[in-house]
């Protein structure tokens, strides 16, 4: 877009369409290179065994959360919840939350050798967009159950003033 407000509207429209890479694409190339460099530098300095085993542990935790859903939902912590609606919300959202978490734990960031060469834009385009779909599904269900405001509603965004490149 050729205008500041056009850029903001383009980003909002992209986010509404679950395009996680839209913000990445809006960044100058030098910023993209810097961010990729920071991630690659981290990956090159990180202990590979520790990093990979940490993700293995997280993956096993996700498996336990999925397999033992009833145990957790019937735990004393949930029984202490005096609001029945909290139990219903937790039950409905459990699987979607686990699914969203697993998207990250099974992605390219879960292996340090992949992280050493990852392109953040590509990661956001694929995994980021998939994660956005899942998080938006969670948001929709939570909003439906709690009657809370939709955090993805940008309908109030409007241009207030424009002077040169400043909006």
């Amino acid at each position: 877009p050729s205008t500041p407000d056009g850029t903001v509207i383009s980003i909002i429209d992209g986010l509404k369409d679950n395009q996680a890479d839209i913000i990445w694409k809006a960044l100058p190339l030098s910023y993209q290179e810097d961010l990729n460099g920071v991630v690659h530098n981290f990956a090159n300095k990180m202990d590979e065994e520790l990093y990979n085993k940490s993700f293995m542990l997280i993956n096993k935790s996700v498996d336990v959360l999925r397999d033992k859903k009833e145990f957790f939902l019937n735990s004393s912590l949930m029984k202490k919840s005096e609001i029945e609606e909290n139990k219903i919300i937790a039950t409905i959202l459990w699987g979607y939350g686990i699914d969203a978490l697993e998207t990250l734990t099974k992605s390219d960031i879960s292996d340090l050798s992949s992280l050493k060469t990852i392109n953040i834009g590509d990661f956001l385009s694929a995994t980021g967009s998939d994660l956005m779909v899942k998080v938006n599904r969670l948001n929709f269900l939570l909003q439906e159950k709690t009657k809370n405001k939709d955090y993805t509603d940008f309908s109030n965004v409007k241009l207030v003033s424009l002077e040169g490149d400043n909006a």
Side-chain angles (χ1 to χ4, degrees):
S2 59
T3 62
D5 60 319
T7 300
V8 170
I9 290 168
S10 175
I11 290 171
I12 289 169
D13 288 343
L15 292 173
K16 285 180 181 178
D17 290 336
N18 297 312
Q19 297 172 12
D21 61 332
I22 193 75
I23 295 173
W24 180 260
K25 290 175 182 175
L27 292 174
L29 182 59
S30 63
Y31 287 29
Q32 293 176 8
E33 290 169 349
D34 287 348
L35 289 168
N36 276 325
V38 167
V39 171
H40 298 159
N41 189 37
F42 164 79
N44 285 319
K45 292 181 179 181
M46 181 65 193
D47 180 270
E48 188 164 5
E49 181 180 10
L50 175 64
Y51 186 89
N52 290 340
K53 285 191 175 185
S54 295
F55 266 91
M56 286 172 51
L57 177 62
I58 294 168
N59 274 319
K60 286 181 182 182
S61 299
V62 168
D63 290 341
V64 169
L65 288 169
R66 178 179 287 108
D67 295 343
K68 302 298 181 185
K69 172 184 173 181
E70 295 305 318
F71 172 79
F72 287 106
L73 292 177
N74 292 318
S75 70
S76 60
L77 180 64
M78 285 303 290
K79 287 181 180 173
K80 287 181 183 176
S81 175
E82 300 200 8
I83 303 172
E84 187 63 29
E85 185 176 349
N86 288 346
K87 296 174 188 175
I88 294 168
I89 291 170
T91 302
I92 292 170
L93 299 182
W94 190 270
Y96 293 109
I98 298 299
D99 194 30
L101 183 58
E102 188 174 54
T103 298
L104 282 178
T105 64
K106 303 246 179 191
S107 72
D108 289 342
I109 66 167
S110 68
D111 179 71
L112 194 62
S113 62
S114 294
L115 197 63
K116 290 178 181 179
T117 60
I118 197 167
N119 178 297
I120 297 171
D122 293 342
F123 174 80
L124 290 172
S125 178
T127 304
S129 292
D130 186 30
L131 185 61
M132 280 187 75
V133 167
K134 293 171 182 176
V135 169
N136 283 331
R137 192 179 322 143
L138 276 166
N139 175 53
F140 174 77
L141 290 169
L142 190 57
Q143 179 190 353
E144 190 177 73
K145 286 293 174 193
T146 63
K147 308 298 182 216
N148 286 336
K149 182 174 175 9
D150 179 5
Y151 78 90
T152 61
D153 179 12
F154 296 105
S155 59
N156 292 329
V157 175
K158 62 183 173 185
L159 180 63
V160 176
S161 68
L162 177 62
E163 293 179 30
D165 288 342
N166 296 318

